[in-house]
Amino acid sequence: MNILPQPVLGILTLYLNDRKQLEERKIYERMTQEGHRIGLKVIVFTPSDVNAEKNMIQAMVFDPVQGKWSRSWRPFPDMIFDRCRIQRSKRFEQLRVFRRRYGHLHFLNKPLRDKWTIYQVLSRRPEFKNYLPDTAYFGSLSDVYAMLKRNNRIYIKPIQGTGGRGILCVEKLGSQMYRIQGRNRQRAIVPPQKLHLSRMGPYLLNWKKGTSFLVQEGIDIMLPNGRVHDYRMLVQKNGSGVWSVTGCAGRIGPARSVTSNLHGGGHAAEMNTLLRKWIHAEQKVFEVRAEAEKVGLGIASYLDGFYGPLCELALDLAIDRSGRIYVLEVNPKPAREVFARSGDKEAYRNAILKPLEYALWSYRQKAKKTDPSD
């Protein structure tokens, strides 16, 4: 059998702005260091760094020894790890073109669809349906009012978006009065205000303007201190190509926030510690965590088969006082800092390492299929 050259993993990302700023530069540095240790070369690039005529990439390369970044022209990598998050920019349009033109390359992960489509896909499976909160597409105000008939508290959220942007919480106060609060599209807190039914309709239509939203049942996840909390579970393929739970951490929102996202000022906590404060019974805490991990692995495996290859997913979970688990949403491009902030150093390191180990495994599997001497 031929000795394989050192494989190259290309991390595909998007610049945040025209100054070519990267959101996860420190993570990519760690990935380069870990890759170097296990025999995997890591480069970083965006669609705008690709020269289609030369079939080359002006990649960003981190030198772990010097601790410095540099640029160099490179051929296309052996594998691509797509870390691109949705933007409203010309950069995202460049990404669409790249995915169409180079879809034949070896991607570790394919893009998922929007939150509403994923909800529909999962709700068709009886093993997942009971874990999904009541959810509907916000086509008109009648969809909101129908959800409010069934629930005293609902959430209105964009079907595409991250970090808690554009999320509204609507609560019934009486037959005609409602409390509305949330976060705008810049993630700033929108303080609570009371609205009469006659004013709420125009408010919601204005909020929705130009964007697709869904409306979702609100789960009671408010801690005694008045702050909301949920859980972020990271599920990744390991160095044998098998889905495994890397970790799960609690997230506690700041004061007056209807979301718990860390980027919105929330803070992280170790899952079991937070669950014990919420559920109290130790045996129940153990059972809930085990059930949550089983659900996470099941959903990851199902979506992997449905959409094509994936290598990691994050699930945002709400857990009510009785221990019932709700999957609020599935995120295909998860951040990792929740584990660093919760103090789970092992989960944080594995969150960085597992995609690299999976990339090596994936590369070797592909090489076996094409090696005639095998």
Side-chain angles (χ1 to χ4, degrees):
M1 184 164 113
N2 296 328
I3 297 173
L4 297 173
Q6 186 180 54
V8 179
L9 175 67
I11 299 176
L12 176 64
T13 186
L14 291 176
Y15 295 122
L16 289 176
N17 48 43
D18 292 334
R19 299 190 304 276
K20 297 191 172 183
Q21 182 183 350
L22 289 179
E23 184 177 10
E24 295 187 304
R25 186 181 292 267
K26 291 296 179 187
I27 294 290
Y28 302 150
E29 290 176 5
R30 282 286 303 271
M31 284 187 159
T32 304
Q33 290 165 341
E34 293 289 352
H36 180 73
R37 191 178 59 78
I38 65 172
L40 181 69
K41 181 76 178 174
V42 176
I43 64 172
V44 181
F45 72 102
T46 77
S48 63
D49 300 322
V50 175
N51 187 315
E53 291 178 7
K54 292 182 180 177
N55 208 31
M56 296 284 282
I57 296 169
Q58 193 178 28
M60 293 164 276
V61 184
F62 180 69
D63 184 333
V65 178
Q66 299 285 328
K68 292 180 180 178
W69 286 89
S70 62
R71 291 252 180 202
S72 65
W73 286 99
R74 300 291 177 106
F76 275 80
D78 299 294
M79 298 153 291
I80 297 175
F81 181 27
D82 186 341
R83 288 292 300 161
C84 300
R85 295 184 178 131
I86 291 166
Q87 291 183 1
R88 290 189 174 192
S89 71
K90 63 177 188 239
R91 294 179 292 277
F92 198 76
E93 294 309 310
Q94 290 173 335
L95 172 64
R96 291 181 196 275
V97 172
F98 178 89
R99 284 172 173 165
R100 284 196 301 269
R101 181 176 289 165
Y102 299 105
H104 61 283
L105 297 178
H106 185 179
F107 283 80
L108 298 184
N109 54 336
K110 296 287 187 181
L112 280 188
R113 298 292 300 278
D114 60 71
K115 294 179 181 124
W116 173 237
T117 308
I118 292 172
Y119 168 81
Q120 291 176 296
V121 167
L122 292 177
S123 64
R124 291 199 289 265
R125 303 291 298 184
E127 66 266 39
F128 304 136
K129 190 170 176 57
N130 288 339
Y131 293 103
L132 302 175
D134 190 6
T135 305
Y137 185 78
F138 183 177
S140 68
L141 288 174
S142 61
D143 299 308
V144 176
Y145 297 144
M147 189 66 73
L148 280 167
K149 275 188 178 178
R150 300 192 294 271
N151 303 278
N152 287 327
R153 181 191 296 117
I154 66 168
Y155 280 81
I156 294 170
K157 55 173 76 170
I159 67 169
Q160 291 182 321
T162 58
R165 293 180 180 88
I167 292 181
L168 264 184
C169 177
V170 181
E171 286 182 89
K172 269 193 276 196
L173 298 178
S175 60
Q176 300 283 302
M177 293 300 295
Y178 298 85
R179 179 190 292 116
I180 291 183
Q181 57 185 321
R183 287 183 181 271
N184 65 20
R185 294 180 196 188
Q186 288 72 48
R187 221 190 260 138
I189 288 177
V190 175
Q193 55 182 306
K194 295 179 182 178
L195 288 180
H196 188 271
L197 179 62
S198 60
R199 290 180 56 214
M200 188 172 76
Y203 184 98
L204 295 181
L205 289 176
N206 183 61
W207 187 271
K208 175 182 181 291
K209 190 167 54 181
T211 306
S212 296
F213 277 74
L214 54 78
V215 55
Q216 194 170 74
E217 165 192 7
I219 315 302
D220 184 11
I221 50 173
M222 189 172 287
L223 295 167
N225 63 7
R227 301 188 179 203
V228 298
H229 79 294
D230 63 11
Y231 300 86
R232 165 59 66 92
M233 175 177 287
L234 180 61
V235 185
Q236 298 175 300
K237 283 182 181 169
N238 61 21
S240 302
V242 176
W243 285 106
S244 59
V245 176
T246 300
C248 191
R251 303 184 302 181
I252 302 165
R256 300 184 303 115
S257 174
V258 299
T259 67
S260 62
N261 305 76
L262 299 189
H263 283 129
H267 69 273
E270 202 273 328
M271 182 184 189
N272 286 3
T273 303
L274 191 53
L275 270 178
R276 287 188 194 106
K277 291 179 182 177
W278 186 239
I279 292 176
H280 303 306
E282 187 67 31
Q283 181 61 26
K284 186 67 175 175
V285 167
F286 174 81
E287 291 169 0
V288 166
R289 179 154 191 165
E291 184 182 357
E293 292 186 355
K294 183 181 177 183
V295 172
L297 291 171
I299 286 176
S301 179
Y302 177 66
L303 292 178
D304 187 37
F306 191 91
Y307 282 107
L310 301 169
C311 70
E312 62 179 8
L313 290 174
L315 289 84
D316 290 343
L317 308 174
I319 300 173
D320 69 15
R321 285 273 189 192
S322 72
R324 182 175 174 184
I325 299 160
Y326 297 85
V327 179
L328 300 178
E329 58 187 66
V330 179
N331 185 340
K333 307 291 169 58
R336 294 151 220 281
E337 69 264 28
V338 67
F339 301 113
R341 293 206 202 175
S342 70
D344 192 341
K345 292 179 181 177
E346 183 181 3
Y348 180 64
R349 181 169 181 267
N350 282 333
I352 290 167
L353 182 60
K354 275 188 184 179
L356 308 177
E357 292 178 332
Y358 170 66
L360 268 183
W361 176 86
S362 180
Y363 174 75
R364 287 167 182 158
Q365 292 299 113
K366 190 176 181 185
K368 278 182 186 176
K369 291 177 184 175
T370 56
D371 187 350
S373 66
D374 233 21

